[in-house]
Amino acid sequence: MNPASPPAAPVCLADYAALARDRLDDNARAYFEGGAADELTLAANVQAWREIPLSARVLRPMAGAHTRVTLFARTQAHPILLAPGAYQRLAHPDGERATAQAAAALQAGMVLSTQSSVPVEDIARIVCTDPDAGPLWFQLYLQHDRGFTLDLVRRAEAAGCSALVLTVDAPVQGARDRERRAGFRLPPGVRAVHLDGLPPRPARTLAAGQSALFDGLLADTPTWDDVAWLRAQTRLPLLLKGVTHPEDARLALSVGADGLVVSNHGGRTLDTLPATATLLPPIADAVGAELPLLVDGGIRRGTDVLKALALGALAVLIGRPVVQALAVNGAHGVAHVLRLLRDELEIAMALTGRITLNKR
């Protein structure tokens, strides 16, 4: 087979990525597959996991081995969750509905994006009514209107979401060259349905020499005080997604966060940030056992999952591979990607002599 040609049938996540290039139009491909600026962080995320070696063990007893993990007092069949991904109807007409069906069938947790193109209530009817499904969490951006933000929180609670994941690393969008070259736009019928009714941002008059970014858009950007406010508004576990610095991890602990997702936004915000495989260990050292850690960015193999847990995470999230599989074969594609990752994780555990994913 010509290495540049897509495979006839996918057997790994890279095969889905190759097939998706022909299924996604230029507009959607620029949005889903692009990163910030020169995309150095985007590439580093994948490469860093590859460069971490594993140590094999032989003749270890493996009877009773399993992939179960416990997150927020809930036992999950495996440590693989679906990261929040916006506008999934760009990839497939069923969008997040198909993703939810696959997640429920494969017992994977799902984090639904604020910018989902399908409402949380529809997703909850798929996930939360299945006793064998993984948890449904709601990803949140703090909006400029606190009342609107609180309404989103109450809506997620009422739907049955069992945690909130607050994205904190994107007060402004990264410089995404691919999107600008493609002239990215949302086609008719695709929108962030949870943001319907968001009041317009108050107009600001800028004085001469003021910055439209610093003195305009970012004049009321969220701070740690806003995180503390949100923590006081809900009893759901609150995770902060996008923490990359140990001091920020300690601040998250001080304002009452219940967990962290170590993430560089998939390389989509600040280019030249280190890979998440590099960022994870110092954050794990900073918070110890006080905060559960998850990680995303560049996970493409079951061996990557095992490495992430060895470095301090309790679970991982996958993003781009979900959308690529969705574009290729809808819910069946996403389910296959999850099955591939779990199978590869079990193989890696067997060959390294790990019967559980506990740290001990």
Side-chain angles (χ1 to χ4, degrees):
M1 181 183 76
N2 184 336
S5 64
V11 299
C12 63
L13 273 59
D15 288 348
Y16 274 103
L19 288 166
R21 294 186 192 108
D22 292 333
R23 304 295 178 89
L24 295 167
D25 62 28
D26 292 344
N27 186 61
R29 189 164 57 251
Y31 180 75
F32 288 129
E33 298 193 357
D38 298 309
E39 301 185 348
L40 300 176
T41 297
L42 175 63
N45 274 347
V46 176
Q47 188 61 29
W49 295 115
R50 291 176 175 173
E51 292 177 353
I52 298 172
L54 287 171
S55 178
R57 297 297 302 273
V58 300
L59 303 176
R60 305 274 285 187
M62 295 303 297
H66 63 80
T67 60
R68 293 189 297 275
V69 295
T70 301
L71 283 175
F72 303 111
R74 176 171 176 167
T75 299
Q76 297 184 200
H78 55 80
I80 303 164
L81 293 86
L82 306 189
Y87 306 124
Q88 292 186 17
R89 290 188 60 226
L90 281 171
H92 189 278
D94 293 336
E96 291 84 355
R97 288 187 184 89
T99 301
Q101 290 166 354
L106 273 292
Q107 300 177 285
M110 178 176 180
V111 186
L112 184 69
S113 173
T114 287
Q115 295 176 302
S116 168
S117 50
V118 175
V120 63
E121 293 83 2
D122 289 9
I123 302 306
R125 279 190 286 271
I126 296 168
V127 176
C128 298
T129 57
D130 184 344
D132 296 323
L136 175 63
W137 297 351
F138 189 77
Q139 178 268 339
L140 185 68
Y141 287 103
L142 287 170
Q143 304 300 319
H144 62 268
D145 186 293
R146 272 195 175 182
F148 189 88
T149 298
L150 189 54
D151 286 345
L152 277 179
V153 171
R154 298 289 177 254
R155 188 173 171 183
E157 291 172 337
C161 296
S162 57
L164 296 177
V165 180
L166 177 67
T167 294
V168 295
D169 64 348
V172 64
Q173 182 172 292
R176 300 178 191 166
D177 294 352
R178 279 206 228 187
E179 289 182 31
R180 292 186 292 188
R181 291 187 186 110
F184 174 73
R185 74 276 176 211
L186 290 175
V190 178
R191 70 185 196 282
V193 295
H194 297 125
L195 299 183
D196 289 348
L198 176 65
R201 187 181 295 273
R204 291 182 182 273
T205 301
L206 300 178
Q210 285 190 305
S211 163
L213 179 61
F214 298 136
D215 303 301
L217 179 64
L218 297 183
D220 55 358
T221 190
T223 67
W224 289 106
D225 289 339
D226 295 285
V227 178
W229 167 81
L230 179 62
R231 172 65 286 170
Q233 305 306 312
T234 180
R235 294 183 179 180
L236 292 181
L238 175 63
L239 296 87
L240 303 191
K241 181 179 184 292
V243 173
T244 60
H245 194 286
E247 184 56 33
D248 285 338
R250 286 186 281 264
L251 286 168
L253 184 62
S254 73
V255 298
D258 299 292
L260 301 177
V261 181
V262 178
S263 172
N264 54 34
H265 217 98
R268 292 168 64 81
T269 52
L270 179 61
D271 199 23
T272 71
L273 270 175
T276 49
T278 303
L279 295 165
L280 177 59
I283 293 179
D285 289 341
V287 299
E290 294 184 84
L291 276 181
L293 298 182
L294 292 81
V295 66
D296 68 11
I299 295 194
R300 300 293 184 268
R301 287 285 186 181
T303 46
D304 299 340
V305 179
L306 186 62
K307 294 170 188 179
L309 271 63
L311 292 176
L314 292 180
V316 305
L317 298 94
I318 56 170
R320 283 183 178 85
V322 171
V323 174
Q324 291 161 345
L326 182 66
V328 172
N329 198 20
H332 293 290
V334 178
H336 189 211
V337 155
L338 288 167
R339 184 71 258 176
L340 287 170
L341 279 177
R342 184 171 177 182
D343 287 349
E344 290 180 2
L345 173 60
E346 292 183 357
I347 292 169
M349 290 173 66
L351 295 176
T352 57
R354 299 295 308 182
I355 64 170
T356 74
L357 296 171
N358 294 330
K359 293 298 181 290
R360 290 177 293 179

